[in-house]
Amino acid sequence: MRFDGVDELLPRVDPSSPGCVTIIAGGGAAEVRTATGVADASTEDPLRSNSLMYVGSLAKQFVAACVALLWRDGMLDLHGPIAAYVPGLPPWGERVHLQHLIHHTAGLPHVYRPSGGIDPSGVPGWGNEELMEEIRTIPDSGEEAGTRHLYTGDGYLLLAEAIAQAAGAPLADVARERLFEPLAMNDSFFRDAETELPARAARGHFRATDGRLHVEPARFHAVGSGGLWTTADDLAGWSANLMDDRLTGGWLAQTMTTPGRLADGRPIHYAWGVSVRTHRGQPIVSHGGSFPGWESKLVVFPEQRATFICLANSQELDVSSLTFNLADHILADSLDPNAPHADQTLHGG
């Protein structure tokens, strides 16, 4: 791994502006750890490498892991309809199985909330109850589940409800007991109520409909498609488990990195809350996250035992490009510059 010149690739952020936390780890141990910018523009407290960050859709892999463990223990039927766990769904609830939701092959529409731009007051204080009301109004298109891959956050919100019903405990408790505590991810939690955030929690910064940058008030507390607060160090520990799997001796890591398939057998890049494809000729396991005021990216190169994490508390930074640029530089001896970029190895969409 080549670390000389890394500083030149990191973003130049005004000390009074929101920024990002970056960790580059090899074998679970941090090799590079940086933090730039402020955690909260209203207080000008600096962003630190151990700041708690909201990571948007990076949460999905933890939801998928909970589903996998409950399925292994006979508490969830992966091939059963979601309607068996979530009451009051339209007829599509009988056709859509949990495995379809895992791989985004359920045929549910992609809905971005809130739509039409963000008011300066920030994202509303929605929880699962409010979003489930909307999901129960999704009309039945008659589309057969499993015929195409279409990324949608609502599928993972439904999975969070299924986890809670099967386990008799909310997702936040299941993830804490089965994932975070065993892996010593002591700073990670699903926030499913509008509670006060810990002192080390950063704030997101979003550009509102008035064109100005505002501090996101963090009232949103739905979990499943997102909802996870964590640190870059905790995510580095999680990525190490994707390679070594101290939880199940290999079963969970293998399950989570097995790509889904459509009903006709065609493979897709999306596995269990993660994308499995290649970058410059090498296998990667990755996912990103985006939410008003936040951007995140996690990329694991299993064969090089290298992890790249970038967490930003604004949407002004292109964290995906930053992460892959760092990987191209640090892993230059292992990567083929003429092989396709990860953006070109998505399939099954």
Side-chain angles (χ1 to χ4, degrees), residues 139-292:
D140 189 353
S141 68
E143 178 177 338
E144 199 63 37
T147 59
R148 61 176 176 146
H149 173 261
L150 178 64
Y151 186 91
T152 173
D154 286 347
Y156 271 73
L157 196 140
L158 284 165
L159 288 172
E161 296 296 302
I163 289 168
Q165 198 280 335
L171 168 65
D173 291 351
V174 176
R176 184 183 68 251
E177 294 169 6
R178 288 181 173 258
L179 300 176
F180 302 150
E181 288 180 351
L183 293 175
M185 296 175 64
N186 299 322
D187 290 322
S188 300
F189 62 94
F190 277 100
R191 181 173 177 253
D192 57 6
E194 200 174 329
T195 54
E196 184 176 354
L197 286 165
R200 278 196 288 118
R203 293 298 189 274
H205 300 78
F206 69 101
R207 198 162 294 282
T209 50
D210 62 3
R212 299 172 57 197
L213 204 63
H214 296 265
V215 177
E216 214 292 308
R219 297 186 56 223
F220 183 87
H221 55 278
V223 297
S225 58
L228 178 67
W229 290 79
T230 186
T231 63
D233 275 320
D234 273 9
L235 289 175
W238 167 254
S239 69
N241 194 70
L242 285 176
M243 293 181 276
D244 296 330
D245 194 359
R246 290 177 286 128
L247 279 178
T248 67
W251 178 87
L252 181 62
Q254 182 176 1
T255 298
M256 290 191 62
T257 56
T258 299
R261 290 182 178 272
L262 300 180
D264 61 7
R266 283 179 294 160
I268 59 174
H269 71 91
Y270 205 87
W272 289 63
V274 292
S275 175
V276 178
R277 54 192 198 274
T278 62
H279 176 71
R280 306 298 188 205
Q282 292 295 327
I284 63 169
V285 178
S286 67
H287 211 288
S290 182
F291 188 82

Side-chain angles (χ1 to χ4, degrees), residues 15 21 36 46 51 55 70-71 92 133 155 162-163 169 185 235 243 265 274-275 277 296 306 328 331:
V21 176
T36 59
S51 293
V55 294
L70 293 176
W71 172 49
W92 54 256
E133 288 182 7
I163 289 168
M185 296 175 64
L235 289 175
M243 293 181 276
V274 292
S275 175
R277 54 192 198 274
S296 58
D328 287 346
L331 300 179

Side-chain angles (χ1 to χ4, degrees), residues 100-134:
H100 298 134
L101 300 172
I102 287 285
H103 302 303
H104 297 291
T105 59
L108 297 179
H110 176 69
V111 179
Y112 186 82
R113 303 183 185 91
S115 60
I118 314 297
D119 185 83
S121 62
V123 179
W126 293 327
N128 281 42
E129 184 176 346
E130 289 82 5
L131 297 189
M132 281 304 305
E133 288 182 7
E134 291 192 25

